[in-house]
Amino acid sequence: MRKPAATDAHAAFSAVALAAIDDVYRFARSLTRDEADAEDVVQEAYLRAFRSWHTFEMGTDVRRWLFTIARNVFLRSREKGKREVTLDDDGAEIVDAAQAREQWIQGGLDAILERTDLGPAIAAALAELPEPYREAVVLVDLEDQSYEAAAEVLEIPIGTVRSRLFRGRKLLQVSLAQHAMDAGLIPRATPAPSAE
Amino acid sequence: MMRDHAMDTDHIDCASAMERLFEFLDGELGPELEVRLRAHLEVCSHCFGQAGFERRFLAAVQAAREAERCPDRLRSRVLEALQREGWTGSDTP
């Protein structure tokens, strides 16, 4: 016997949730930084999403919902209960160093930001960001999520999203400048002033 | 040149402007602060230049968003797992 409600729900799942699989995959890649792990996260996230589909409110942001599920899958896939150290001060020294070299970083980066071949360097720089910053930058800058949505996905206050974004973007600039310098896209830095 | 005047009810100084710059560029600043920060950028060449750089940087990051799509084999794997779970939908919305 046909069950219209279930059929409709399955069709809606296809049209709404599965339509976002590229975004979920990209987000999983950014979380895991590993292709195989990302695929496991995506599969498990979609299974959980399907089982919980009745709880999804149509008309709300499905990507926010799926990102939250995917992140939870990712966190549980790591050693149980053992989160990476995600201190908010992580990276503070690098940000300080970035400020000390602000002129060089901006001057160098500004000259190359419109290059069309910058994608791999940005991806590599992103992959090097400490996790708390990477998550915030990926959600807001790559996945167009609002601060509020990122706060919900990451289960942190909006103020923390704001500070992680600030540091994450500054760290990204340092790392990107380094990659660009290594690739010969921008000149070598003059020695940074010693912090000591 | 940087403007050093302190923040008052109408004006934002450079330090405050830079502190809130990303929120401004992200459209996450409230309307009142947005107007004040925009006004500051109109009269402060240092912060205006900084805003331009950060705007170009964010655009580059966004543009670099990997055109990476979910691999077909993963899509198939997900669909098969869903079917085992009872999903009867179609992959083509």
Side-chain angles (χ1 to χ4, degrees):
Chain A
M1 185 176 161
R2 186 174 181 269
K3 294 179 181 172
T7 305
D8 290 349
H10 292 192
F13 186 80
S14 306
V16 177
L18 280 173
I21 196 167
D22 289 336
D23 301 317
V24 176
Y25 169 70
R26 200 167 40 241
F27 183 54
R29 280 288 303 266
S30 74
L31 290 174
T32 64
R33 292 183 283 186
D34 179 272
E35 177 67 32
D37 289 348
E39 293 192 5
D40 290 343
V41 166
V42 172
Q43 175 173 331
E44 182 59 26
Y46 267 95
L47 284 175
R48 289 189 192 190
F50 178 61
R51 290 174 197 140
S52 305
W53 185 236
H54 61 283
T55 68
F56 175 71
E57 288 180 41
M58 291 299 281
T60 60
D61 185 352
V62 76
R63 298 198 314 149
R64 183 192 301 202
W65 188 69
L66 291 168
F67 288 156
T68 304
I69 295 172
R71 183 169 181 271
N72 287 337
V73 169
F74 166 66
L75 292 178
R76 286 186 197 172
S77 72
R78 297 197 301 199
E79 290 179 72
K80 294 248 187 284
K82 185 181 170 192
R83 295 279 307 269
E84 276 181 13
V85 177
T86 55
L87 295 177
D88 246 1
D89 284 341
D90 191 15
E93 288 175 13
I94 307 174
V95 172
D96 289 346
Q99 284 166 349
R101 297 196 302 169
E102 185 180 340
Q103 211 172 1
W104 170 75
I105 289 171
Q106 291 191 12
L109 286 184
D110 226 1
I112 61 166
L113 284 176
E114 290 179 12
R115 287 180 69 119
T116 54
D117 57 353
L118 207 55
I122 291 178
L126 260 177
E128 286 171 4
L129 282 185
E131 184 180 311
Y133 306 115
R134 194 172 68 249
E135 289 178 325
V137 169
V138 166
L139 283 170
V140 174
D141 290 344
L142 273 70
E143 301 301 339
D144 299 321
Q145 297 290 296
S146 65
Y147 288 12
E148 184 196 3
E152 188 180 304
V153 172
L154 301 175
E155 298 177 282
I156 54 177
I158 282 191
T160 308
V161 170
R162 196 178 291 129
S163 62
R164 287 186 184 179
L165 264 182
F166 181 86
R167 277 194 185 154
R169 286 165 170 173
K170 289 297 164 190
L171 286 169
L172 188 59
Q173 289 172 1
V174 175
S175 183
L176 180 58
Q178 188 66 45
H179 278 279
M181 191 176 71
D182 291 345
L185 299 176
I186 59 178
R188 297 235 150 241
T190 50
S194 170
E196 291 136 76
Chain B
M1 183 172 173
M2 293 185 71
R3 294 168 65 90
D4 296 326
H5 54 74
M7 184 169 168
D8 58 32
T9 51
D10 294 313
H11 297 102
I12 290 180
D13 65 11
C14 292
S16 303
M18 290 302 95
E19 193 181 311
R20 312 303 295 267
L21 181 59
F22 279 134
E23 290 164 82
F24 173 75
L25 296 175
D26 290 332
E28 295 272 357
L29 219 47
E32 187 199 337
L33 259 179
E34 186 176 319
V35 167
R36 291 165 63 194
L37 206 151
R38 195 182 298 281
H40 177 82
L41 294 181
E42 283 171 5
V43 297
C44 178
S45 58
H46 172 271
C47 292
F48 180 80
Q50 185 72 26
F53 166 74
E54 299 294 4
R55 187 178 282 119
R56 288 189 292 279
F57 168 71
L58 294 178
V61 173
Q62 184 122 46
R65 172 178 145 147
E66 295 167 82
E68 200 173 15
R69 301 193 54 209
C70 176
D72 288 342
R73 63 181 153 67
L74 174 58
R75 187 183 297 269
S76 302
R77 186 178 141 190
V78 169
L79 296 180
E80 284 165 17
L82 286 170
Q83 280 161 352
R84 284 196 297 275
E85 198 74 17
W87 173 71
T88 58
S90 152
D91 182 27
T92 48

